[in-house]
Amino acid sequence: MLIFNDDFARMQNYESYTKTQDEQKQMKYKLLSIVESVFEDSYARLKPETRNAIDMICFLATDKGFVYAKDTYFAKEHNISTRTIRRVMKTLEDASKIVKGHRSSSKHNGRGAAVYFFVDHPCFTHWQQYFGFDVQADVQAENAEIPCESKDEEVKKVSTYSLPNNYIKDHFMSKTIPFIKGVPKLINQTFKDLFKDSLRDLYLRVRMAAQKVCQSVSIILSKKDIHSIAYESIHVLFTYLKTRSMSFEEQCKLVYRIALNKFNELIQTEDKKNEEESVVVTPRKIVRKEMLPDWFKAQQEQEQTIKSEESVCTESEEEEMARMKTILSQYREELDSFC
């Protein structure tokens, strides 16, 4: 079964079944006892790390009846292999205690991360009607049965794995919406309580707008600019939601448009700054007016007088040559007249 992004967003926004801490604990222990009944005696022989991972899976499923964290997350948190997590979930799936689905992948058209639905959770009937799970009726009837024992029989004491108080406290603290992975710290601190897990998709729309602007203009935006515009865009969406109700898809489209406009305005202002900086300013010619020594002034005056004398000499020679030419021409005229 493939779960599309819109369906997964509705799953995350669905109302939680557990309202208080006591209800959450009761639901966790109920799911944990079902898991123990599947493993029977082998449950006590599991490693403590594996039992801790199973406990965390049951805890995360208390609110809405499903778990969508990846196998790598549980493996990293409890220092076990992903193979162990998959083996545990496969055992529960074969026992018809959980139903497995897959999110649609953002990188390709195939299946993405797995989502596990607990059959014994009260919310399962809603998810079965929504997604149309093919679960056998006899399996559901078997899960709905509550075993009763005779009063004459002695109640068998089964040792269950009890967690320390600090571990349960840590689990309850994780219910207060931890930091959303892939979202900047400031946006997490400001909007995580308002949008919850949907904040990741809203921030992704801002990144898509930044990528489109970078491709169209061939420019690289800094991380600081992207984070600041993401904060402004989500804040505008938050103020807009105060006066109007919108679907999650409309929220994503609105954030994308707001971020795209802000990125375009940022690029336009940067272009104007570059144009102003590219204007060439002709430097002023600095005339030096230092005090010159007397001997240097005398030398300069002597050079000027020599140049002026030379120019006079050249002018006088040219005048004399012109005068001689005129005299010769007069002599020639007189000789021609005698002849």
Side-chain angles (χ1 to χ4, degrees):
M1 183 191 69
L2 195 62
I3 301 173
F4 295 99
N5 293 332
D6 294 339
D7 296 330
F8 186 71
R10 294 189 185 95
M11 289 170 58
Q12 291 177 313
N13 295 327
Y14 188 71
E15 185 178 1
S16 299
Y17 177 78
T18 56
K19 305 297 183 182
T20 62
Q21 184 179 0
D22 293 334
E23 292 178 356
Q24 195 173 25
K25 287 182 181 179
Q26 292 176 5
M27 181 56 62
K28 187 193 78 168
Y29 289 131
K30 176 184 176 182
L31 298 177
L32 190 60
S33 63
I34 294 169
V35 175
E36 290 177 0
S37 65
V38 173
F39 284 91
E40 296 180 348
D41 295 337
S42 62
Y43 183 81
R45 294 193 295 269
L46 294 175
K47 292 182 178 180
E49 293 83 0
T50 306
R51 287 182 291 182
N52 290 344
I54 294 173
D55 185 275
M56 189 175 186
I57 292 170
C58 295
F59 178 82
L60 294 177
T62 55
D63 287 344
K64 301 171 185 178
F66 63 87
V67 180
Y68 61 89
K70 294 182 179 180
D71 301 337
T72 53
Y73 173 76
F74 295 114
K76 184 178 179 181
E77 287 290 321
H78 300 283
N79 196 20
I80 56 178
S81 64
T82 55
R83 195 173 176 183
T84 302
I85 299 295
R86 287 194 294 268
R87 186 167 59 248
V88 170
M89 304 310 286
K90 184 68 168 60
T91 303
L92 296 176
E93 188 179 2
D94 293 340
S96 300
K97 299 300 181 183
I98 61 173
V99 176
K100 184 180 180 181
H102 287 275
R103 296 175 58 186
S104 59
S105 176
S106 59
K107 297 181 180 178
H108 51 79
N109 295 327
R111 299 187 305 179
V115 181
Y116 299 99
F117 297 85
F118 278 79
V119 176
D120 295 275
H121 196 279
C123 293
F124 181 76
T125 55
H126 172 75
W127 302 127
Q128 184 182 8
Q129 294 174 0
Y130 187 84
F131 292 106
F133 291 139
D134 187 12
V135 182
Q136 297 179 0
D138 56 349
V139 173
Q140 290 182 339
E142 181 183 354
N143 292 331
E145 289 181 359
I146 300 175
C148 298
E149 295 179 355
S150 176
K151 292 183 179 179
D152 297 333
E153 296 178 359
E154 185 180 356
V155 179
K156 185 179 179 180
K157 295 182 180 180
V158 181
S159 61
T160 58
Y161 178 71
S162 58
L163 292 173
N165 293 330
N166 58 352
Y167 191 80
I168 297 173
K169 184 179 178 181
D170 292 341
H171 271 322
F172 182 72
M173 291 299 291
S174 66
K175 187 176 181 292
T176 61
I177 310 174
F179 268 24
I180 298 170
K181 191 175 181 181
V183 179
K185 185 177 180 181
L186 179 60
I187 300 175
N188 254 310
Q189 293 174 344
T190 310
F191 301 107
K192 67 173 182 176
D193 295 330
L194 302 172
F195 296 100
K196 298 182 179 179
D197 290 335
S198 303
L199 186 62
R200 184 187 296 107
D201 295 328
L202 296 176
Y203 179 68
L204 181 62
R205 295 306 190 281
V206 177
R207 294 298 300 264
M208 290 169 62
Q211 186 177 4
K212 183 177 180 181
V213 171
C214 291
Q215 290 176 353
S216 60
V217 189
S218 299
I219 193 174
I220 298 176
L221 294 170
S222 64
K223 188 182 292 186
K224 183 179 179 182
D225 292 336
I226 296 174
H227 290 182
S228 61
I229 290 179
Y231 181 88
E232 294 172 3
S233 303
I234 297 173
H235 188 269
V236 171
L237 173 65
F238 171 65
T239 54
Y240 190 73
L241 289 174
K242 291 180 179 178
T243 58
R244 180 182 175 184
S245 60
M246 301 175 64
S247 64
F248 180 69
E249 187 176 356
E250 291 175 344
Q251 293 177 22
C252 292
K253 290 181 180 178
L254 180 60
V255 166
Y256 178 80
R257 289 197 299 267
I258 295 171
L260 190 63
N261 293 333
K262 287 185 177 294
F263 282 125
N264 288 326
E265 291 176 1
L266 177 65
I267 289 174
Q268 289 176 1
T269 54
E270 296 248 339
D271 291 340
K272 288 181 180 178
K273 288 181 181 179
N274 293 333
E275 289 177 0
E276 292 176 358
E277 291 177 357
S278 61
V279 175
V280 179
V281 179
T282 55
R284 293 180 59 187
K285 188 176 180 180
I286 300 173
V287 180
R288 300 182 65 177
K289 296 181 179 180
E290 294 91 353
M291 295 294 292
L292 299 177
D294 295 336
W295 62 268
F296 189 75
K297 288 182 179 179
Q299 187 177 358
Q300 282 186 336
E301 291 175 357
Q302 186 178 0
E303 289 177 355
Q304 289 177 358
T305 52
I306 291 170
K307 287 180 180 179
S308 60
E309 289 176 358
E310 288 178 355
S311 62
V312 170
C313 292
T314 53
E315 289 176 359
S316 60
E317 288 178 358
E318 289 177 357
E319 290 176 357
E320 188 176 357
M321 290 292 291
R323 187 169 59 79
M324 293 296 291
K325 286 180 181 179
T326 53
I327 293 170
L328 288 172
S329 61
Q330 290 177 359
Y331 283 150
R332 285 176 184 173
E333 290 176 358
E334 289 177 358
L335 287 172
D336 291 337
S337 61
F338 284 131
C339 295

